[in-house]
Amino acid sequence: MHKALSHISTTITINIIIWTIFINWAWKWKVFYPWLVPFPNLSGEWEGTLKSNWKNKSLEPIPTEIKVTQTFFNVQVRIKTNESTSYSTAASFDIDKDRGLQQLFYSYLNTPKSSVRDRSEIHYGTTLLNFEGFNVTSIEGEYWTSRETTGEIKLNKKTLPNTV
């Protein structure tokens, strides 16, 4: 009986270690796409523009930086512009080959700098980003907010400088 419990304990420990490695790192390995991991690794820094219909104005595109932090079970998105920062509150992939969809949805809380809150209040929003394939270098989509504004977003993945 003691020997059986020892084997069970060892088996559980090995499984926990393997799953921890997979969930945090190994899911990113190309060998697992798409048969085990149906979504791409979007982790990293992205830059691009937002185009908003705020107050029915035709505004110039707003330069935007986004940081995506992703594990097998979690996606977090942080957005920065010159006037505000947003943090995702929930995120989910919608991958459907039959409909030709590869999308990331996320909801967020946007907090403008205090100096602009007289014209841009704190608000919630949701973003839908479309992409193709597993080696994603550009994403585009749309967003809508609790302020009843909508807009378009276009992003390109930042490339790391060559290190020699």
Side-chain angles (χ1 to χ4, degrees), residues 37-48:
V37 179
F39 48 82
N41 177 11
L42 300 179
S43 294
E45 295 184 4
W46 300 75
E47 60 188 351

Side-chain angles (χ1 to χ4, degrees), residues 18-33 36-37 72:
I18 289 170
W19 277 109
T20 300
I21 290 169
F22 180 80
I23 290 166
N24 288 298
W25 302 285
W27 69 271
K28 299 174 187 178
W29 300 345
K30 292 182 190 332
V31 69
F32 295 120
Y33 294 104
L36 183 59
V37 179
F72 186 71

Side-chain angles (χ1 to χ4, degrees), residues 102-122:
Q102 285 186 282
Q103 302 174 320
L104 172 66
F105 284 95
Y106 65 90
S107 294
Y108 61 87
L109 174 62
N110 178 274
T111 307
K113 292 180 179 176
S114 60
S115 60
V116 299
R117 285 199 197 139
D118 59 327
R119 61 178 169 78
S120 181
E121 68 269 12
I122 295 171

